[in-house]
Amino acid sequence: MKGRSLPQFPLDKLQVPVLVLAHQDDACSVTAPKDLPLVTDKLTGAPRKAVVQLSGGTPSGDLSGHLAHHGFGGLDPAAVRVISDFVL
């Protein structure tokens, strides 16, 4: 996938709660799990932040597609639960 990786964005400008949800086996270079510390370190303006990495699932298709690890293929209930827990 082409594009800037997440740590290249001005994440320090965010001043809202931030949930970083990732899959430990995401193969997308733009949202690589190895970059999570770079992302969270830049979230200096966020009043609350959380990082959750999921694992497992049943990925298929394009590595950066919605059915791959990038899109939490097969983990929809778990991803929705993490998001709703963060929001509530």
Side-chain angles (χ1 to χ4, degrees), residues 4 13-16 18 22 24 27 29 33 41-42 45 48 52 56 59 62-63 67 71 73-74 78 82 85:
R4 295 188 305 169
K13 305 276 190 226
L14 294 173
Q15 297 182 353
V16 295
V18 176
Q24 71 179 19
S29 62
D41 287 350
K42 290 184 76 177
R48 182 169 65 106
V52 177
D62 178 21
L63 290 177
L67 295 176
V82 168
D85 287 349

Side-chain angles (χ1 to χ4, degrees), residues 6-16 18 38-47 49:
L6 199 51
Q8 294 175 319
F9 287 88
L11 302 174
D12 58 319
K13 305 276 190 226
L14 294 173
Q15 297 182 353
V16 295
V18 176
L38 300 173
V39 171
T40 55
D41 287 350
K42 290 184 76 177
L43 293 170
T44 56
K49 59 186 172 184

Side-chain angles (χ1 to χ4, degrees), residues 16-70:
V16 295
V18 176
L19 168 64
V20 180
L21 180 58
H23 193 288
Q24 71 179 19
D25 295 321
D26 188 353
C28 178
S29 62
V30 176
T31 57
K34 69 175 180 58
D35 290 340
L36 283 176
L38 300 173
V39 171
T40 55
D41 287 350
K42 290 184 76 177
L43 293 170
T44 56
R48 182 169 65 106
K49 59 186 172 184
V51 177
V52 177
Q53 283 194 72
L54 298 179
S55 62
T58 52
S60 64
D62 178 21
L63 290 177
S64 292
H66 70 283
L67 295 176
H69 288 311
H70 180 77

